[in-house]
Amino acid sequence: MAAEIPRPQTRKPVLLSKIEGFQDVVNTAVIIPKEDGVISVSQDRTIRVWLKRDSGQYWPSVYHTMPVACSCMSFNPETRRISVGLENGTVSEFVLSEDYNQMTPAQTYQAHQGVVTVVLFVLEMEWVLSTGQDKSFTWHCSESGQQLGTYRTTAWVSGLQFDVETRHAFVGDLSGQVTILKLEQDNCSLVTTFKGHTGNVTTLSWDPVQRVLFSGSSDHSIIMWDIGGRKGTAIELQGHNDKVQGLCYAPHTRQLISCGSDGGIVIWNMDVTRQETPEWLDSDSCQKCEQPFFWNFKQMWDSKKIGLRQHHCRKCGQAVCGKCSSKRSTIPLMGFEFEVRVCDSCHDSITEEERAPTATFHDSKHSIIHMQYEPTRGWLLTSGTDKVIKLWDMTPVVS
């Protein structure tokens, strides 16, 4: 049974505009900073630059059709460079004119043997980073067009972030693993790997100030990896009923925005002292009443009792039977905004203050496949399976 999302609060995102007219799903779209504009790349093979007209509607000032479907995109506002990943493994770059009414081809990279899944342009390094379904991570020089290096991944990559200061690349893949690589000009080295998700990593967000990495997954969860502080600390956040599709951290307010296929937009307050979820303990019998679990044949025979099904308390991690864990509770500081199974003693110990929510929940009214947050204005862009882009004013809730 799916968890019930709490009712939206009085303060909620304000829908500013809808952009429609696509023939297929919009895989990536970005807000143009300091402009009333949006850039989109779609499965219908189009790259479009949308500018807001006097009528209040967004109309395409650039409409460019590619030879194959556009799978992903990166936009650099300073250089007005668009890097577009394609389904045939190519990354194509264009430069937009100052008035955003013209797009000029700049560079093409034969980057992958399969669909390009993520592309990033790093201005400081003049690098174009990309990942593909061919299980490879590559980086090219944007000036020469030459490939500088490549790294083979265990599964095809679905999330990518880069830290300019340390030259660390964070790579999330379909196995649920996050790999950290140290990049040099023409080679890279493996730093470490994190495994915490039971589903594939769908999205990553990096905060270079706090040195914290957030990963979202198809297992409906978000994990906060504290890389710069208490190394190895992993905080879990449970607030979606379907795969997490987008993450963005707002450092000025210490809030995390997450979006998912369930249509939910969740605003997490990260300015609280959160707790790690406990490891689940192994036991052959209930650690409360000592009744045997169903695989413990010896104790069942000795006590002449039928074995019980094993459960785990989400607060203490103990292995318990259903009778000793009949109650449910939210544990927001552990990331459980929905009610979860807890043992009876833990349920009695949780105070009303500890049950106070640390997140707010809002309904976008479309199944989100991509999101982007523009912090200077506090705008959020969501793209859905309904082939619609929505622009939201997040200032009522991100503040």
Side-chain angles (χ1 to χ4, degrees):
M1 182 178 175
E4 184 180 345
I5 294 180
R7 285 185 174 183
Q9 289 69 26
T10 306
R11 299 177 68 187
K12 58 184 182 180
V14 177
L15 181 62
L16 298 173
S17 296
K18 284 191 200 178
I19 301 176
E20 302 174 278
F22 297 97
Q23 301 303 309
D24 213 326
V25 169
V26 178
N27 287 322
T28 311
V30 295
I31 299 166
I32 304 172
K34 302 176 184 177
E35 294 284 339
D36 272 329
V38 169
I39 305 168
S40 65
V41 299
S42 171
Q43 201 69 25
D44 65 10
R45 300 190 294 132
T46 63
I47 304 171
R48 307 189 204 189
V49 180
W50 304 81
L51 296 181
K52 192 174 184 180
R53 306 304 184 189
D54 293 338
S55 63
Q57 298 295 311
Y58 285 83
W59 292 94
S61 60
V62 173
Y63 187 109
H64 183 83
T65 304
M66 299 297 288
V68 294
C70 306
S71 52
C72 55
M73 170 189 59
S74 174
F75 174 62
N76 182 266
E78 294 178 51
T79 59
R80 300 186 304 282
R81 184 189 293 253
I82 307 174
S83 307
V84 181
L86 303 176
E87 282 202 346
N88 62 5
T90 302
V91 174
S92 295
E93 289 197 325
F94 303 86
V95 176
L96 285 169
S97 60
E98 287 188 26
D99 60 3
Y100 295 96
N101 284 305
Q102 190 174 351
M103 193 170 73
T104 306
Q107 190 75 260
T108 299
Y109 313 92
Q110 301 301 321
H112 298 277
Q113 300 300 312
V115 178
V116 182
T117 52
V118 190
V119 62
L120 287 178
F121 171 63
V122 184
L123 177 61
E124 293 86 348
M125 321 300 302
E126 292 289 347
W127 286 351
V128 177
L129 315 180
S130 63
T131 61
Q133 288 187 10
D134 59 356
K135 300 182 182 178
S136 71
F137 162 69
T138 66
W139 65 105
H140 289 76
C141 174
S142 62
E143 293 180 316
S144 66
Q146 296 298 308
Q147 180 175 303
L148 299 174
T150 186
Y151 178 86
R152 297 293 296 176
T153 56
T154 55
W156 68 266
V157 178
S158 41
L160 176 64
Q161 290 282 282
F162 183 71
D163 181 60
V164 174
E165 184 182 343
T166 62
R167 298 190 183 186
H168 284 153
F170 305 95
V171 179
D173 63 40
L174 250 63
S175 73
Q177 181 174 284
V178 177
T179 303
I180 302 180
L181 302 171
K182 171 78 171 182
L183 300 192
E184 302 298 344
Q185 187 63 26
D186 56 1
N187 64 77
C188 71
S189 56
L190 176 64
V191 177
T192 189
T193 57
F194 295 136
K195 187 68 187 282
H197 290 290
T198 56
N200 57 290
V201 175
T202 50
T203 179
L204 296 174
S205 178
W206 170 244
D207 173 31
V209 178
Q210 300 291 327
R211 306 203 64 74
V212 167
L213 181 72
F214 298 94
S215 60
S217 172
S218 61
D219 64 10
H220 311 177
S221 74
I222 300 162
I223 297 179
M224 182 186 84
W225 307 93
D226 190 349
I227 294 171
R230 295 172 294 168
K231 289 186 168 72
T233 302
I235 304 295
E236 195 171 337
L237 304 174
Q238 298 280 356
H240 288 278
N241 285 321
D242 206 333
K243 69 173 76 168
V244 180
Q245 295 282 46
L247 292 170
C248 182
Y249 182 65
H252 59 294
T253 61
R254 300 201 68 177
Q255 289 170 290
L256 177 72
I257 306 169
S258 65
C259 295
S261 296
D262 56 2
I265 301 174
V266 184
I267 317 299
W268 303 85
N269 176 15
M270 303 308 295
D271 196 20
V272 293
T273 304
R274 294 189 175 272
Q275 304 165 19
E276 280 193 279
T277 51
E279 293 287 337
W280 283 6
L281 302 177
D282 292 325
S283 179
D284 291 329
S285 58
C286 175
Q287 293 180 294
K288 295 295 182 183
C289 68
E290 298 184 353
Q291 289 267 33
F293 294 131
F294 62 82
W295 61 81
N296 190 349
F297 300 111
K298 184 180 185 305
Q299 191 177 341
M300 281 193 290
W301 177 264
D302 293 343
S303 62
K304 302 295 188 289
K305 292 178 179 178
I306 297 173
L308 303 175
R309 184 181 172 190
Q310 177 183 263
H311 301 283
H312 283 92
C313 172
R314 298 318 192 258
K315 190 172 192 300
C316 67
Q318 287 191 319
V320 290
C321 67
K323 186 178 178 181
C324 294
S325 59
S326 60
K327 297 176 181 177
R328 303 290 182 271
S329 176
T330 59
I331 321 174
L333 293 180
M334 281 187 170
F336 298 113
E337 294 287 337
F338 303 143
E339 290 193 339
V340 290
R341 180 185 296 273
V342 291
C343 66
D344 291 353
S345 56
C346 280
H347 184 273
D348 294 340
S349 71
I350 301 172
T351 65
E352 285 303 313
E353 186 179 22
E354 289 175 315
R355 289 191 177 95
T358 62
T360 60
F361 297 80
H362 312 277
D363 186 7
S364 71
K365 292 186 167 53
H366 66 167
S367 176
I368 297 170
I369 60 170
H370 168 78
M371 65 155 275
Q372 186 243 343
Y373 179 63
E374 208 279 290
T376 55
R377 282 176 290 184
W379 285 12
L380 180 75
L381 178 150
T382 59
S383 170
T385 55
D386 54 3
K387 307 171 192 174
V388 174
I389 293 172
K390 293 183 179 182
L391 290 172
W392 307 85
D393 179 6
M394 300 298 290
T395 54
V397 288
V398 182
S399 59

